[in-house]
Amino acid sequence: GVDKALHFLLFGLVALCMHFATRGRMIGRASLRVPMAIALPIAGALAEELAQAWSPHRTADPLDLLADLLGMLVFVWIGRRLTKAAPARATA
């Protein structure tokens, strides 16, 4: 279970940092808009799992990918809550 928890935590933290760095930007069309902070890391996580599936020394685990996605969703949600609660700064 530690492996799944680390996937959740590490990919979640990546998504949180990307949320702040991209200022919550979304990508996609009007009907399907996805936070950039989720779309980019999940593409990397998917590539990692595919590489593990093709490696004779590693095994792919779809539950790792699920833990990655859940971590990203939770941490981006937290990031949205934090940025929504942040007081607006006056510009001089």
Side-chain angles (χ1 to χ4, degrees), residues 1 3-16 35 37-39 41-43 45-46 61-79:
D3 178 52
K4 304 302 180 267
L6 288 174
H7 274 268
F8 180 90
L9 183 64
L10 295 175
F11 274 90
L13 289 171
V14 166
L16 180 64
I38 292 177
I42 199 66
L46 183 59
D61 186 357
L63 293 178
D64 284 349
L65 195 59
L66 180 61
D68 297 339
L69 179 60
L70 290 175
M72 289 179 234
L73 290 170
V74 168
F75 278 75
V76 166
W77 177 79
I78 290 170

Side-chain angles (χ1 to χ4, degrees), residues 30-68:
S31 61
L32 180 63
R33 296 181 52 84
V34 177
M36 191 180 276
I38 292 177
L40 296 177
I42 199 66
L46 183 59
E48 175 195 10
E49 289 301 321
L50 288 173
Q52 287 182 16
W54 290 328
S55 172
H57 306 290
R58 305 283 309 265
T59 57
D61 186 357
L63 293 178
D64 284 349
L65 195 59
L66 180 61
D68 297 339

